[in-house]
Amino acid sequence: MVKFSIRALNIWFDAVHALKNVTMDITANEVLSIIGPANSGKTAFLRMLNRLNELSENFRMSGEVKLSRGNIKDMDTELLRKRVGMVFALPLPLPLSIFGNVAYGIKMHGIKNEKRQREIIKQALKQAYLWEEVKDRLDESAFKLSGGQQQRLCIARTLALKPDVILFDEPCSGLDPISTAKVEEAMLRLKTDYTIVLVTNNVKQAARVGDKTAFFLSGELVEIDKTDKIFTTPTDKRTDGYIRGKFG
């Protein structure tokens, strides 16, 4: 089933043409890895999926982005960002307790019952593979967690809102290999219930977790296919060159 349908998408920031006539589908319950060198349009594409680009005054676009057949430009942005959550490159815990961080969003969306809050928070922390590490210290400051734990806390905070899609923008860029492995394991398990889009500069990570991989270059979608095909027999020689480390 198609979760996102993108047709003839163009994005500009002032005179910079960041994305050029991108057409693609994103399938439900899969991990889509997006790779490409700097300034290839990866992050602009990711932020388009929940309209974060609109926070930039110099942004404009053409084309169509549909989420489950509904055009996202017609959706309330707050509700859209609840359905399409985002985890950023650097962990951004709130200056609250571990419990308070995960509870923040669900309180904002009207869930006031404490028993229900605790149920949601426990489930979200379990899904983010953090529960066993923090279950006896939920009242401690989130800043006492390691960088990897803070990133998984941010994932739990997103999961608590029960989105349809989770966007990951370089979620392991500052993490050690052990923490990276835990985040990747969480992504692989989460695709059973969620659609995941991962932007990564780590080609090996894209190969490890992606069901499909899309290669962007200079604002263009060069190709998108099953990950094993992209990494073994890509259609375009530029994709092969990037994967082999010849540029980027």
Side-chain angles (χ1 to χ4, degrees), residues 4-220:
F4 271 108
S5 176
I6 297 103
R7 296 292 180 267
L9 175 64
N10 288 272
I11 289 177
W12 294 267
F13 295 97
D14 285 334
V16 176
H17 197 175
L19 280 181
K20 303 169 185 175
N21 201 38
V22 172
T23 292
M24 63 187 291
D25 291 329
I26 299 174
T27 306
N29 301 109
E30 285 188 346
V31 178
L32 171 65
S33 296
I34 299 178
I35 59 173
N39 300 313
S40 60
K42 305 186 302 293
T43 296
F45 175 79
L46 194 74
R47 291 169 65 89
M48 184 65 250
L49 298 179
N50 67 356
R51 294 175 55 185
L52 280 176
N53 288 323
E54 295 176 17
L55 299 175
S56 299
E57 292 183 2
N58 59 351
F59 161 79
R60 61 190 175 92
M61 66 161 283
S62 67
E64 184 177 75
V65 181
K66 288 185 175 181
L67 171 63
S68 301
R69 300 183 181 179
N71 197 315
I72 65 170
K73 72 177 183 180
D74 300 324
M75 298 180 186
D76 177 83
T77 53
E78 184 177 340
L79 292 178
L80 173 65
R81 290 169 191 158
K82 180 177 181 292
R83 291 183 63 188
V84 185
M86 189 160 184
V87 177
F88 296 91
L90 293 176
L92 297 170
L94 301 169
L96 301 168
S97 67
I98 295 167
F99 183 94
N101 263 268
V102 188
Y104 183 82
I106 57 179
K107 286 180 178 178
M108 292 287 287
H109 284 86
I111 297 176
K112 306 297 184 185
N113 182 278
E114 189 171 330
K115 182 180 178 182
R116 180 62 182 142
Q117 288 178 12
R118 289 190 174 277
E119 290 172 351
I120 293 171
I121 289 165
K122 181 177 180 179
Q123 181 185 25
L125 288 168
K126 282 186 171 183
Q127 287 181 308
Y129 288 86
L130 189 58
W131 174 253
E132 292 300 326
E133 297 169 42
V134 302
K135 63 183 180 182
D136 297 322
R137 46 193 291 217
L138 294 175
D139 293 330
E140 287 186 13
S141 168
F143 296 126
K144 290 186 177 181
L145 298 174
S146 70
Q149 289 173 325
Q150 288 184 12
Q151 189 63 295
R152 281 180 283 145
L153 179 67
C154 292
I155 293 171
R157 193 171 66 202
T158 299
L159 291 171
L161 295 176
K162 302 198 179 302
D164 295 332
V165 182
I166 308 172
L167 312 177
F168 288 91
D169 188 10
E170 288 288 340
C172 303
S173 60
L175 303 185
D176 61 82
I178 293 174
S179 297
T180 294
K182 289 184 177 181
V183 172
E184 289 179 1
E185 183 181 2
M187 283 191 275
L188 290 170
R189 298 285 183 93
L190 288 169
K191 71 180 182 181
T192 303
D193 300 306
Y194 304 92
T195 301
I196 294 175
V197 185
L198 166 69
V199 162
T200 179
N201 287 325
N202 185 333
V203 173
K204 291 181 179 179
Q205 181 177 68
R208 284 193 298 266
V209 303
D211 296 290
K212 290 179 182 172
T213 296
F215 173 56
F216 282 75
L217 182 64
S218 301
E220 297 180 6

